[in-house]
């Protein structure tokens, strides 16, 4: 009989903020992909905006890598983050391929308000004054929302359009799920030894990531 998975601070916070987490991972935009009703113009908007976001996400992950090397004291942290950073090169190439496929010229895409605010948040997270445990919590949340959202689009009974399954597989695959679990494990380990002040900040950052994710989905559907 398998031992039940140990619950940490992140799980406690997700229980506390369940409605917001659900709003981020089961947003109407995501559900519309799964049930096949998605407006393809919304998908194109998401594609262009997320391409810009990923380019801003790269320096954030690079900063996480530097922090992992200098501050974690556990060599496997660096290896996990390095794997995530390396995969972003393939991700950018995938976006370029999808942009060509959907006739989205990224050179003409202008970051909308929700995108700008999310990227400013990432820049703030790169400050050396932000605790490593807080940074890792943010990193996990950003990755986990996409993993759970797009995995939902691949679950049994889905009517996801064939031309969108590539996007869903990119973040919804089991390998990415295992990667997210590894990042979560790092964050949870760091939070075990965090100060009360750092724990409060980490919870706040988790909530802010979820709010940014909801706003990003809303933007894709035609909001700002």
């Amino acid at each position: 009989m398998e031992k039940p998975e140990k619950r940490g601070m992140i799980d406690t916070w997700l229980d506390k903020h369940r409605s917001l987490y659900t709003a981020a991972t089961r947003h109407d935009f995501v559900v519309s992909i799964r049930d096949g009703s998605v407006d393809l113009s919304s998908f194109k908007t998401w594609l262009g905006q997320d391409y810009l976001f990923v380019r801003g996400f790269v320096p954030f992950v690079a900063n996480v890598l530097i922090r992992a090397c200098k501050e974690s004291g556990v060599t496997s942290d660096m290896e996990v983050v390095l794997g995530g950073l390396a995969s972003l090169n393939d991700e950018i190439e995938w976006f370029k391929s999808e942009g060509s496929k959907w006739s989205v010229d990224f050179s003409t895409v202008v970051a909308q308000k929700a995108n700008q605010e999310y990227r400013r948040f990432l820049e703030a997270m790169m400050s050396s004054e932000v605790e490593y445990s807080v940074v890792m919590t943010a990193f996990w949340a950003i990755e986990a929302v996409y993993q759970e959202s797009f995995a939902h689009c691949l679950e049994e009974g889905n009517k996801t359009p064939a031309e969108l399954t590539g996007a869903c597989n990119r973040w919804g695959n089991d390998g990415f799920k295992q990667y997210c679990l590894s990042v979560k494990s790092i964050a949870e380990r760091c939070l075990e030894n965090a100060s009360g002040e750092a724990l409060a900040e980490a919870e706040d950052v988790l909530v802010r990531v979820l709010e940014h994710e909801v706003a990003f989905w809303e933007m894709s559907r035609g909001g700002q």
Side-chain angles (χ1 to χ4, degrees):
M1 182 176 179
E2 293 186 2
K3 293 182 179 179
E5 183 180 346
K6 181 182 178 182
R7 290 175 58 80
M9 288 306 305
I10 289 175
D11 292 314
T12 299
W13 293 334
L14 291 183
D15 286 343
K16 181 178 177 182
H17 304 288
R18 181 59 58 184
S19 61
L20 181 56
Y21 187 67
T22 300
T25 58
R26 295 292 185 271
H27 189 274
D28 287 346
F29 177 72
V30 174
V31 173
S32 73
I33 294 176
R34 175 183 163 79
D35 67 20
S37 67
V38 62
D39 183 337
L40 292 180
S41 66
S42 294
F43 178 79
K44 291 179 182 180
T45 297
W46 167 81
L47 189 70
Q49 292 296 318
D50 208 39
Y51 171 75
L52 296 182
F53 178 80
V54 169
R55 295 190 72 87
F57 188 53
V58 169
F60 168 77
V61 181
N63 183 69
V64 176
L65 178 62
I66 292 171
R67 299 286 296 270
C69 292
K70 291 183 175 180
E71 299 178 38
S72 77
V74 179
T75 57
S76 59
D77 285 15
M78 180 270 286
E79 295 164 3
V80 170
V81 180
L82 180 60
L85 182 60
S87 71
L88 289 177
N89 182 59
D90 290 336
E91 193 166 303
I92 286 175
E93 291 305 309
W94 177 84
F95 270 106
K96 290 179 179 179
S97 176
E98 288 291 297
S100 177
K101 171 183 169 182
W102 293 99
S103 300
V104 177
D105 183 357
F106 293 141
S107 68
T108 65
V109 176
V110 177
Q112 295 186 34
K113 181 181 177 182
N115 198 344
Q116 294 172 2
E117 291 178 347
Y118 204 171
R119 288 159 67 189
R120 279 197 290 269
F121 168 79
L122 290 183
E123 290 171 4
M125 287 292 97
M126 293 168 62
S127 167
S128 60
E129 295 180 3
V130 181
E131 295 277 354
Y132 180 58
S133 58
V134 176
V135 172
M136 289 305 305
T137 300
F139 185 35
W140 169 80
I142 293 167
E143 299 285 45
V145 167
Y146 262 38
Q147 191 282 316
E148 187 160 335
S149 296
F150 285 107
H152 180 58
C153 297
L154 299 173
E155 291 171 355
E156 186 176 352
N158 78 79
K159 297 179 182 178
T160 298
E163 61 269 32
L164 302 187
T165 55
C168 298
N169 277 311
R170 170 154 288 278
W171 292 280
N173 68 81
D174 190 62
F176 191 67
K177 178 180 180 180
Q178 295 305 313
Y179 159 72
C180 288
L181 288 173
S182 295
V183 175
K184 183 182 180 184
S185 179
I186 294 171
E188 289 285 24
R189 188 197 73 235
C190 295
L191 291 168
E192 286 179 359
N193 300 312
S195 66
E197 183 178 353
L199 287 174
E201 185 179 355
E203 180 181 3
D204 179 64
V205 160
L206 172 60
V207 168
R208 290 172 66 191
V209 167
L210 298 179
E211 291 173 340
H212 280 301
E213 292 288 347
V214 171
F216 206 96
W217 295 133
E218 282 293 317
M219 170 193 65
S220 300
R221 296 178 69 223
Q224 291 297 313

